[in-house]
Structures are given as structure tokens and as C-alpha cells.
Amino acid sequence: CSFTQSVTQSTYGCSDLGINRITLTTTDDGNNATSASVNVTVMDTLIPTVAVMDISLVLNANGQASITTADIDNGTMDNCTIESMTLDNSDFNCNDVGFNSVTMTVTDQSGNKDSATAIITVLDNIAPTIITQDVTLYLDAQGQGSVTAAEVDNGSFDNCAIATMFLDKVAYDCADVGAN
């Protein structure tokens, strides 16, 4: 005596994750059939493939910049559905000028997760704004005098901190009397 078996569903995909109730039917040569219900549990145990790329990021006039996962994502994928993509750091300021490691973590709908690290090169490309003021310098009894950058400065600023200020000429004598 021979028999055949059939099921109501035999292939499964990501949309079938979890418990699926199916019916197994066995039929013999006399066309007698018996059916039973069974549970098929479909699981996704594969971690996402996280692909990131290094980028350069320029600070704005306020000395700030930020990124999203889309800025460093380089083709991340999963066999099912990606549930979330997060960064361990997305906001940068003047203190971050240079190389910064950022980790992107990707979690799929089954809770499988993996991560990868990208290098964010933070750049400050905005030159300082120089604001000066005229000063009057009185020579001493020896006919000498000097002026500092702080005396000439009138509120110069930068999106980050000004590291140094200097003048091309600081010492004056009798030969310099008048406007310089």
C-alpha cells in the first residue's frame, strides 16, 4: 500500500516569521485521507550585513555639524527587514575636529543585530572674521613704543575658538610717527 502527503503551505519567507499553523494530509491508494494540524515555526537567525563608509564633515558657522545613518550607510542589507539603524554619535562640534570613530548598529525585525565603525573626519573650513580698531600709540622717552594684537582687536570671532592673533608689526619708533 502506498500513500501521498501534502501540506497547505510548504515554502516560507520573511513574511511568515513566527508560528504558522498548517495542515498535513496523508492519502492512501484507496483515496482515504487523514489530516492533522501542525505548527511550523519560522525563524530568522541571520545577522544583518552592515556596510559603512568613511566621510568628511564640515562644521557650520556655529561650529556644529551632524550626520544620519544615511550619510555613512554603504549598502547595509538583511535577508528580511531592517527594523532600525542607529549611531552611537551623530553630533559634532569644534572639540571633534579631526578623526572620530562612529559605530552604526543595525537591528532586523527578529532582533538580530550587528555593527560597523566608520571614521568621520570633522573639518573647520571657515576662516576667522577679523575686526580691528585704530589705536593711538604714544612713544616713550626713548622714542620707542609697541602695540599688541589684543589692543587692535575689536571683537574678532570664529565658528570655533581663535587659536592665535598676531600683528605683522608691533614695535614702533620716531621714524613711524603718523598713520601706519
Side-chain angles (χ1 to χ4, degrees):
C1 186
S2 65
F3 62 91
T4 60
Q5 290 185 322
S6 64
V7 291
T8 53
Q9 183 176 352
S10 61
T11 59
Y12 300 89
C14 293
S15 62
D16 299 306
L17 291 174
I19 298 173
N20 297 271
R21 189 104 174 128
I22 64 164
T23 302
L24 169 67
T25 303
T26 304
T27 306
D28 66 13
D29 290 337
N31 211 19
N32 299 307
T34 302
S35 297
S37 293
V38 296
N39 290 331
V40 174
T41 302
V42 177
M43 298 174 59
D44 169 21
T45 58
L46 299 175
I47 61 173
T49 301
V50 182
V52 295
M53 61 186 161
D54 299 341
I55 64 169
S56 292
L57 184 64
V58 178
L59 296 174
N60 66 18
N62 296 321
Q64 300 173 336
S66 62
I67 61 170
T68 66
T69 55
D71 294 322
I72 66 169
D73 183 31
N74 196 23
T76 297
M77 61 184 167
D78 188 63
N79 62 317
C80 286
T81 302
I82 293 174
E83 188 73 26
S84 68
M85 298 170 78
T86 60
L87 300 173
D88 67 342
N89 184 15
S90 60
D91 297 317
F92 301 91
N93 60 40
C94 296
N95 296 327
D96 301 308
V97 170
F99 302 108
N100 300 271
S101 295
V102 173
T103 301
M104 183 168 80
T105 302
V106 178
T107 306
D108 71 12
Q109 70 190 64
S110 295
N112 302 309
K113 66 174 70 175
D114 200 12
S115 60
T117 300
I119 301 298
I120 310 304
T121 304
V122 177
L123 305 169
D124 172 17
N125 290 345
I126 299 175
T129 299
I130 300 171
I131 303 172
T132 60
Q133 61 187 348
D134 293 340
V135 296
T136 301
L137 175 63
Y138 296 97
L139 299 178
D140 63 15
Q142 288 78 33
Q144 303 290 315
S146 64
V147 66
T148 67
E151 292 171 317
V152 175
D153 181 43
N154 192 25
S156 300
F157 61 91
D158 187 59
N159 63 328
C160 291
I162 294 177
T164 59
M165 284 194 281
F166 62 91
L167 300 173
D168 62 343
K169 183 175 180 179
V170 295
Y172 296 88
D173 59 29
C174 294
D176 297 309
V177 170
N180 290 277

